[in-house]
Each structure stands twice: as structure tokens, then as C-alpha cells.
Amino acid sequence: MLLSLHVKNLALIDETEVFFGEGLNILTGETGAGKSIIIGSVNLALGARADKDMIRTGAEYALIELVFQVTDAGQRQMITQMEVPLEEDGTLLIQRKISATRNLCKIGGENATTKTVREVAELLMDIHGQHEHQSLFHIKKHMELLDDYAKTDLIAVKNRIQEQYGIYKGLKEESEQTNLDQAEQSRQLSLAQFEWEEIDNAGLVIGEDEILETKYHKLIHGKRIIEACSAINGYMNTDEEAGNESAGELIGRASKELNTVLAYDDALIPMEESLHTIEDLVHDFNRSVTDYMSELQYDAQIWTETEERLDLLNRLKSKYGNQIEEILLYKKKQEDAITRLQDYEAYRDGLRQRLEESEQKLRSLCEKASVIRERYAKKLSQEMTQALLDLNFLTVQFEIQVRRKEQYSILGYDEAEFMISTNPGEPLKPLSEVASGGELSRIMLALKTVLADKDSIPSLIFDEIDAGISGKTAWKVSEKLAKLSCNHQVICITHLPQIAAMADSHYVITKNSLEGITQTCIKEIKDEDVIEELARLLGGEQITQAALGNAAELKKMATDNKNKFK
């Protein structure tokens, strides 16, 4: 569940923090107070697109922090598998910092991509806004919702369909490219044979390019290496003609000089041992330099051979791949093409057979998925009909039609469409042709309620769920939210007193002006303050004793109803 939200320097918010509770969390406030900013900040923290214009005027950055408590063992395991840091007690901190130059996401104090944040968010929270119930007008969404409902039995088959569809699609695309005439076959065969032979004649060895580059680098700097080694040899060894003493001889003289005074002070003994070590190192170094110089040689033929081999490798790389491994893979590809083109009709016959076999496997999997979808469509239709009746649809028929499309896709060959009739005697029609805004919001709430029992997402946020409803319908919606909050944390923005009265925790969002600066704030209210806020929602500009009495009665009714659900 979501434990807390901390927002700083975002839009009209200077800085505010709110702690949410279990059950139904209600947010109310005057129109324009900034309720949408609160939900928007949650969306931002969970990876929504951010813009520097969201930063509060005069501030350098905006900061949003969410603290979750993850108690479900399965969710904790999945989060851990994502390598996301999770505290031992299940606490998870998600942060989003927005500045003029960059956006930074963190999970558990460690930098994270917005993609990772979204993946974690999908496990922890489902945010429903007005744009989402408008998505019910799109038939693609209907299939998505049905598949979510049937997930347990459908997921394995869908994964196999996706895999098999990839094979089928590849074979089909290959098949569509096989209508070559004799001249084109001959041209492609000649090209494939030429390229294969060019690569084969090169006798490529994996890793040889790196060895040759090192060798070539040494050869082109050979003169400088010889000069440096000669100078080093002069410094380290005696030049009798010049009368210079070598480094080794000077160290030897120092050692002998030290030996003459060792008997007078034991503190000199470690120095003498150090000189012996230095003397041994110098002798070893001299041998290494001498051995290296004896092997160092410059051969014009080796230079030419190395340069020519590198030129060949680079030419092949420019044509067939950036690495030798890629060039050899291209050679294998052309080898396969030669085999295919040399007996083109046999290749086409084999391809047709493989395509037919692949389609047969895909069709079989699609049939399995379709049977599962049809079974769950009937079940979901029944549950949705009851849920809609609970939400004050007086007479309603709801049906999910599963139909076969002409083309396959990664989902199979099905499409699903929600059909509804809200008046007696009227035939079922597509949802997009019938439902009003208020009906759409209730249909989405019904879907969320039914689907919530199928998943383990602990927190649900509803914004604009009360659009276009009032009176008895609003009361029915409040009961549905209360039932939903028995097994989930629900956070809901509303302007209806019937819904607000059901709150387990109630928060008021206000907009104030201080020294000419507008600020949005949020605070939790209790007891008398709750009654006063309900009275404001019920009444007009002034809160009367009658309005307070009605609000108290409404709160008592809501509390009594909630107790029936628990």
C-alpha cells in the first residue's frame, strides 16, 4: 500500500506531505484547489512524462517521493528479481526529481530508469482517471480487459502464441519473397557465390585482427623503440669509452660504502638489505632489456605482409561486418543462400510445407485461447451485469462477444467487444454507441471491482469516478468503493458527499494565497472537521446547522453500511 506522498516545488505546491491509511482514502476540495495536482504528482513519481514547466515558479527543481509498504510475498519476490532495493520490512521509496536540465528517478536511493519505475509501479498501484474510462470506446481495450480477467488460464497459451506467431510471421515474409524469375535467381546465385568465395579465400581467424593491429603498431614505432632501448642500455651499463659509470656500478659502490659502517649502528642493516634488493632488481632489469633488444628486429617483408593482411581484413569489414565474427556469419548466410538458389523449387516446396505446419500449430493455439476467452467472457459478463446492477443500472444486459478476425496476431485471431443494453426491450449494442459519460465511469468502476479480485495490486487510485452521477447512483458507487476497499487500499478524489462519507481517512485539499503567492495544501481531517466538510459538499455557500445535521446523518449511514461489508 501507499504509505505517504511528499511533494515539493511542483506547480502550486510549495511543500506538502500526506500519510495515507488502509481502506478508503477520500480527497475533497473546492474546484480549482489542485486535486488533480496531487494525483498528477503520483503519476510523475511513477514514471509519467515530466516537463520543466511543472516546477514551481522561482524554484530550481521539483521533488516527489512515494513510500510504499510491500507485504505480499509474490510482489516482494518480483521486485527483488528486478534488482530493486527493498528494505527488510518491505518499505520501498520511489523518488522523482525534475529540474530544468534533467529528470532523475530513484528507487530505494539508487538511480533507476523510468522504465524500471513503471514496471515496479504496475505491481503496486493502478491509477484510474477520466482518460481511462474513455478508453472503453476502443475495442482493443476490451480484449485487454478480458485477457486480464482470464490471465491465470490464458497466460501460458498467449506466451506460446506469441512465440509461434513470430515463427509463422518470419516464414510468411520469407515465402512472400520467393517469387524470383530465372534471371533473378541466377543473379543472386552469382553474387552469393562471389561473396562466399571472397570471404573463404581470406581464411579468416577470429581474433587475428587484434593481434595484427598490435603487431602493426609495434612495427610502425620500431625505430623509436630501438632508440629508447639503446638509451636505457647506456644508462644502465658502463660506457668504457666515455668513462661513464653505470647505474649498477654506482649502486654497487654505495653498497660497499655502507658495508664499511654496518658494525657501528644496527639501524643501517635494513638500508643494506634494501640496497641488495635494488641491486638484484637492476641486474634483472638489465637482462630483460638485453633480451628484448636481441629479439627486436625490423623486417620489411613482415611489415608488408602485416599491412596487406590488415588492408584485406578492413576491406572485408567494410563490406560484410564490423567484426570477424560478423563476417563469418555473413559467409554462412551466403552459403545457405547458395544451397537454396541451386535447388530453388525444392526450397520453395520445403518453405511452403514449413509455413503450413507453422500455421497449423498457430491455429491450434489460437483455438485454445479462443475457448478460454469465450468461457471467461461468459463469466465476466455475468459478474459485470451484477456489478452494474449494484451501481444502480436498473435494467441492464452486458455481454462480451468474442469473434474471430481474418488475420493472426501475437494475441491470436480473436477480438472482443463489450455489448450493452441499458433499457428493457433494446437490443445489445456496442458500448461505444450507447454509454454516456456517467455510465462509462460506472462501467469502469464495475470492471475494476471485478478485476481487483483477480490480481494482487494493493492500491487503486480513482480520479473522476463520480463524473456525471448523483443521488442514489452516487450512493451505490460509494458502496462499491467501500466494498473494494475491504481488500485494497483505495484513494479517491470526489466532489460527492455520498462517496466522501464512506471515507476511512479523509483529506481536504485547499488553495491559499500568502503574500501574493498561491499555494495548494493537503491535510487529513477527523471528527467534526469531517462533518463540516460533508456539510460543505451537501450545502451552499454557508454551512447551516441543518446542513451539519444532514452531514452527521450521512456519515452515520455510511459507517453503518461499511460495517456490513467487513
Side-chain angles (χ1 to χ4, degrees):
M1 62 176 282
L2 178 62
L3 296 180
S4 67
L5 164 67
H6 174 227
V7 184
K8 183 176 182 179
N9 298 332
L10 183 72
L12 297 178
I13 298 176
D14 177 26
E15 185 167 14
T16 191
E17 187 168 20
V18 56
F19 295 89
F20 294 104
E22 297 179 352
L24 182 57
N25 296 259
I26 293 293
L27 283 67
T28 60
E30 293 281 3
T31 300
K35 298 188 291 295
S36 60
I37 298 175
I38 300 298
I39 299 302
S41 64
V42 175
N43 269 315
L44 284 172
L46 298 181
R49 182 179 177 276
D51 191 279
K52 63 181 182 180
D53 292 337
M54 299 173 176
I55 302 171
R56 183 174 171 80
T57 302
E60 294 182 358
Y61 66 89
L63 176 68
I64 309 104
E65 296 178 322
L66 301 178
V67 179
F68 289 92
Q69 181 75 45
V70 187
T71 57
D72 182 81
Q75 289 178 333
R76 293 177 73 155
Q77 182 179 1
M78 284 188 282
I79 290 172
T80 302
Q81 288 173 349
M82 294 180 191
E83 299 183 353
V84 169
L86 186 66
E87 298 293 335
E88 290 184 6
D89 63 354
T91 302
L92 182 69
L93 172 64
I94 297 179
Q95 298 168 294
R96 182 80 175 272
K97 188 175 183 180
I98 305 165
S99 67
T101 56
R102 63 179 300 193
N103 292 320
L104 181 65
C105 294
K106 289 188 176 184
I107 304 180
E110 296 183 6
N111 291 344
T113 63
T114 53
K115 180 177 180 291
T116 300
V117 172
R118 291 190 195 104
E119 289 173 351
V120 173
E122 287 175 0
L123 299 174
L124 302 177
M125 179 167 281
D126 184 5
I127 301 178
H128 168 71
Q130 189 168 359
H131 70 281
E132 188 178 359
H133 63 245
Q134 293 295 325
S135 70
L136 288 177
F137 284 138
H138 305 294
I139 194 170
K140 181 180 177 182
K141 183 69 174 180
H142 301 177
M143 174 76 97
E144 180 184 323
L145 290 165
L146 174 59
D147 283 4
D148 282 345
Y149 183 74
K151 184 187 299 182
T152 304
D153 289 347
L154 190 60
I155 187 66
V157 179
K158 282 182 69 175
N159 288 339
R160 291 175 63 194
I161 288 174
Q162 184 174 352
E163 180 182 350
Q164 189 60 42
Y165 176 73
I167 297 171
Y168 166 77
K169 185 180 179 182
L171 289 171
K172 189 175 182 181
E173 290 175 352
E174 186 178 352
S175 179
E176 291 170 351
Q177 298 170 3
T178 59
N179 298 319
L180 304 179
D181 58 27
Q182 189 67 38
E184 182 61 20
Q185 289 179 42
S186 178
R187 190 193 71 79
Q188 289 193 13
L189 179 59
S190 296
L191 177 62
Q193 288 173 330
F194 170 80
E195 292 181 337
W196 183 88
E197 289 175 1
E198 184 178 34
I199 297 171
D200 187 65
N201 291 338
L204 301 179
V205 177
I206 293 175
E208 69 167 312
D209 50 345
E210 297 176 1
I211 295 172
L212 286 170
E213 288 285 358
T214 302
K215 186 177 180 180
Y216 182 74
H217 192 71
K218 180 179 177 180
L219 285 169
I220 62 175
H221 295 94
K223 182 179 179 182
R224 179 70 187 92
I225 294 173
I226 291 173
E227 290 175 351
C229 288
S230 298
I232 292 168
N233 192 49
Y235 297 141
M236 303 303 294
N237 295 289
T238 304
D239 185 346
E240 294 181 356
E241 293 182 4
N244 294 334
E245 290 183 289
S246 69
E249 287 179 332
L250 291 173
I251 294 170
R253 288 177 57 185
S255 179
K256 289 177 182 177
E257 193 69 32
L258 187 59
N259 279 325
T260 63
V261 293
L262 281 178
Y264 307 130
D265 189 353
D266 290 343
L268 296 172
I269 294 175
M271 298 183 192
E272 193 264 347
E273 292 174 351
S274 296
L275 271 176
H276 274 304
T277 300
I278 295 170
E279 193 171 19
D280 290 340
L281 288 171
V282 168
H283 289 156
D284 290 343
F285 178 77
N286 285 338
R287 280 194 297 271
S288 296
V289 171
T290 301
D291 292 343
Y292 180 83
M293 290 183 67
S294 66
E295 295 174 1
L296 192 65
Q297 56 182 347
Y298 176 82
D299 189 314
Q301 184 177 351
I302 293 176
W303 164 275
T304 302
E305 290 174 353
T306 302
E307 188 174 40
E308 289 176 351
R309 184 64 176 173
L310 277 175
D311 287 344
L312 173 62
L313 293 182
N314 289 330
R315 187 171 71 254
L316 293 176
K317 285 181 179 181
S318 68
K319 295 173 68 174
Y320 305 122
N322 294 323
Q323 304 293 332
I324 290 180
E325 291 90 338
E326 294 177 13
I327 298 173
L328 293 174
L329 285 174
Y330 187 85
K331 176 188 173 185
K332 179 63 172 61
K333 177 183 173 183
Q334 294 305 78
E335 184 178 331
D336 293 340
I338 292 168
T339 302
R340 181 171 67 245
L341 291 164
Q342 284 177 336
D343 195 349
Y344 198 61
E345 288 307 314
Y347 156 71
R348 292 182 67 182
D349 291 341
L351 180 60
R352 277 193 293 267
Q353 183 177 349
R354 285 188 292 145
L355 180 59
E356 289 173 4
E357 292 172 355
S358 175
E359 184 175 7
Q360 186 177 356
K361 290 179 182 178
L362 180 59
R363 187 187 307 115
S364 177
L365 289 169
C366 290
E367 288 170 357
K368 290 180 181 180
S370 191
V371 169
I372 295 171
R373 285 184 175 121
E374 287 176 356
R375 185 172 77 248
Y376 276 93
K378 291 178 182 179
K379 187 177 178 183
L380 179 55
S381 296
Q382 292 170 356
E383 292 191 37
M384 278 294 296
T385 299
Q386 184 57 54
L388 291 172
L389 290 171
D390 293 342
L391 289 170
N392 207 35
F393 279 83
L394 300 180
T395 304
V396 64
Q397 286 180 278
F398 187 91
E399 183 179 301
I400 302 174
Q401 293 184 355
V402 179
R403 300 185 293 263
R404 177 172 176 173
K405 297 186 296 184
E406 294 183 2
Q407 302 295 328
Y408 296 104
S409 75
I410 59 172
L411 300 176
Y413 58 41
D414 293 327
E415 67 175 6
E417 185 170 19
F418 293 171
M419 310 292 287
I420 193 169
S421 171
T422 57
N423 295 305
E426 287 190 357
L428 288 163
K429 293 182 180 179
L431 187 64
S432 59
E433 297 179 11
V434 178
S436 65
E439 288 172 333
L440 273 180
S441 62
R442 281 186 285 162
I443 291 168
M444 182 57 82
L445 177 57
L447 280 164
K448 292 291 184 182
T449 304
V450 173
L451 293 174
D453 295 332
K454 289 284 183 180
D455 60 43
S456 57
I457 295 177
S459 300
L460 306 171
I461 292 184
F462 291 100
D463 186 16
E464 301 288 343
I465 198 65
D466 55 10
I469 64 173
S470 60
K472 184 178 179 181
T473 300
W475 185 254
K476 291 292 185 179
V477 170
S478 74
E479 288 182 334
K480 185 63 70 175
L481 289 170
K483 288 179 182 178
L484 188 58
S485 69
C486 291
N487 298 312
H488 299 265
Q489 180 194 44
V490 178
I491 300 171
C492 179
I493 290 179
T494 185
H495 65 277
L496 295 179
Q498 296 94 326
I499 295 176
M502 285 287 184
D504 294 303
S505 301
H506 193 145
Y507 307 85
V508 172
I509 301 169
T510 58
K511 184 166 68 174
N512 304 307
S513 181
L514 182 64
E515 297 180 355
I517 300 175
T518 303
Q519 296 183 5
T520 290
C521 302
I522 179 171
K523 67 174 183 177
E524 183 177 5
I525 58 173
K526 294 181 180 296
D527 305 328
E528 291 82 2
D529 291 335
V530 170
I531 302 301
E532 187 172 333
E533 177 64 9
L534 291 177
R536 184 190 66 79
L537 294 172
L538 280 166
E541 185 175 346
Q542 292 188 354
I543 299 175
T544 64
Q545 286 300 319
L548 289 170
N550 290 337
E553 184 178 357
L554 182 62
K555 184 64 180 177
K556 183 179 184 305
M557 288 173 59
T559 302
D560 291 342
N561 264 352
K562 277 197 302 182
N563 291 334
K564 295 176 185 177
F565 307 144
K566 296 179 179 179

